[in-house]
Amino acid sequence: MTSSKSTALVARIEQWPIAGSFTISRGAKTEAVTVVAEVSRGRHTGRGECVPYSRYGETPEATLAALLSMREPLRQGLDRQALQAAMPPGAARNALDCALLDLEAKTGGQRVWTLLGRPAPRACITAYTISLGSPEAMAAATVKAAHRPLLKIKLGGDGDGKRIAAVRKAAPDSDLIVDANEAWASDNLEQNLANCAEAGVTLVEQPLPAGQDQMLARIRRPLAVCADESVHDLKSLDGLRERYDAVNIKLDKTGGLTEALAMADAAHALGFEIMIGCMVATSLAMAPAMLLAPVARFVDLDGPLLLARDRDAGLRYDGSMVYPPDAALWG
């Protein structure tokens, strides 16, 4: 029998249909596959959700197995601080870290930001993603979203100049950020950046492949460039300052909110602008990232808006405004 002081863990894989499809330079998908961890102690249960990312060699099955391997350490008293060394950064640790934080908040009877000594999150504007497609298809999708103040445009290489021009024409008043998802190369980098600057884009995410981005330090960047695939956790910030102006912090990369908060503090001290990003997932995955919103220049937590449906007690979205989570959801 589990004692009242030990922690029990259950985990499962879930599928959430996407409204239509979600397309980036690496392909398209029609459902979000998430892994949920639930940790219980006494009468309290904490939850966390992650999205295994094949770009980093993660699968739902391996992520689930990694989580279940922590059952015995948790039963023996593994806490959130010890978890940081017990598991590597990545999706599995994210789900468990966030579940343990949720459990700490519930056990202590206080909101998680109070527990961590952080500012309470407030409602903020989130970006809304326009998937990669032909210029005509992207313009049509943008027209439907042109009322939103911040749009994130997925680009993918050849023809990106026409794509971003078409999007700008369709949304003349929206702020635009671009995510190239590593699809550009040294021979089109400067032209693509110039096309984005001409269209009034504010920020470009990860234009070159991670590990092949040295050219960014040798050119004049006409607009801010943000690291995504080139930055993961706190240690990966080293050496990025010459190449990037901003970093995209995602909990599935950092391995949870604990590391993400430390990373945000360090990134701010180094002079980076901060973007808070997400994978396509439910509100349970977005809720912990809301604690980073007060220090972020850009918030990109639109995952639930791209789903056919969200989980019960999900985050409140009012247009592009996203509100802090209720305790019934997380934290």
Side-chain angles (χ1 to χ4, degrees):
M1 180 179 293
T2 302
S3 75
S4 60
K5 293 184 179 180
S6 65
T7 303
L9 166 68
V10 296
R12 62 184 176 274
I13 297 172
E14 297 182 345
Q15 290 86 25
W16 295 87
I18 291 173
S21 66
F22 180 76
T23 305
I24 65 173
S25 62
R26 283 188 287 272
K29 59 182 181 180
T30 57
E31 69 174 6
V33 180
T34 72
V35 181
V36 173
E38 294 182 349
V39 289
S40 301
R41 189 183 309 128
R43 60 186 181 88
H44 298 292
T45 297
R47 302 186 300 167
E49 177 181 298
C50 69
V51 179
Y53 196 12
S54 59
R55 168 65 177 81
Y56 306 126
E58 297 177 332
T59 66
E61 295 76 16
T63 298
L64 180 63
L67 282 168
L68 295 178
S69 73
M70 303 307 294
R71 274 177 163 168
E72 184 60 21
L74 287 165
R75 193 186 68 80
Q76 294 183 4
L78 180 81
D79 61 13
R80 180 170 52 89
Q81 287 70 32
L83 173 67
Q84 309 310 308
M87 298 185 79
R93 195 179 78 183
N94 175 32
L96 190 49
D97 180 77
C98 292
L100 287 170
L101 274 166
D102 190 28
L103 180 62
E104 288 177 43
K106 287 181 168 66
T107 301
Q110 57 186 326
R111 296 311 305 265
V112 68
W113 44 87
T114 303
L115 176 75
L116 295 173
R118 293 280 172 166
R122 299 179 179 178
C124 59
I125 292 172
T126 179
Y128 181 81
T129 301
I130 303 297
S131 286
L132 176 65
S134 69
E136 295 77 16
M138 293 182 72
T142 302
V143 166
K144 298 177 183 178
H147 62 285
R148 296 182 181 273
L150 178 62
L151 298 178
K152 178 174 176 174
I153 313 304
K154 293 289 188 177
L155 295 182
D158 292 342
D160 278 348
K162 293 181 179 178
R163 291 185 179 100
I164 196 62
V167 165
R168 171 49 81 198
K169 184 176 180 180
D173 299 323
S174 300
D175 287 336
L176 302 182
I177 56 180
V178 156
D179 188 358
N181 283 116
E182 304 180 281
W184 295 352
S186 58
D187 60 355
N188 62 23
L189 172 66
E190 291 181 278
Q191 184 60 57
N192 280 329
L193 288 175
N195 291 336
C196 287
E198 183 178 355
V201 171
T202 303
L203 180 86
V204 171
E205 277 187 78
Q206 199 67 42
L208 298 175
Q212 302 175 38
D213 53 4
Q214 297 84 357
M215 186 177 177
L216 289 169
R218 302 195 298 266
I219 66 169
R220 186 189 71 82
R221 301 190 293 268
L223 70 166
V225 178
C226 178
D228 185 356
E229 286 85 353
S230 286
V231 65
H232 294 262
D233 56 3
L234 179 60
K235 291 185 291 185
S236 67
L237 288 172
D238 292 344
L240 292 182
R241 195 66 188 94
E242 292 183 352
R243 286 171 278 165
Y244 294 98
D245 309 289
V247 292
N248 188 344
I249 299 176
K250 294 178 179 175
L251 272 60
D252 281 315
K253 294 190 300 180
T254 66
L257 181 60
T258 301
E259 177 82 2
L261 289 169
M263 183 178 172
D265 292 342
H268 186 264
L270 289 169
F272 288 107
E273 287 191 318
I274 295 172
M275 180 177 183
I276 305 307
C278 70
M279 306 295 285
V280 182
T282 79
S283 285
L284 182 58
M286 308 299 124
M290 285 293 295
L291 272 73
L292 293 155
V295 299
R297 170 70 174 82
F298 300 99
V299 174
D300 178 24
L301 297 177
D302 66 341
L305 296 177
L306 306 175
L307 297 176
R309 64 179 181 88
D310 195 5
R311 67 174 69 247
D312 293 341
L315 292 177
R316 175 188 166 199
Y317 288 88
D318 184 4
S320 289
M321 294 294 292
V322 54
Y323 290 79
D326 292 335
L329 173 67
W330 184 87

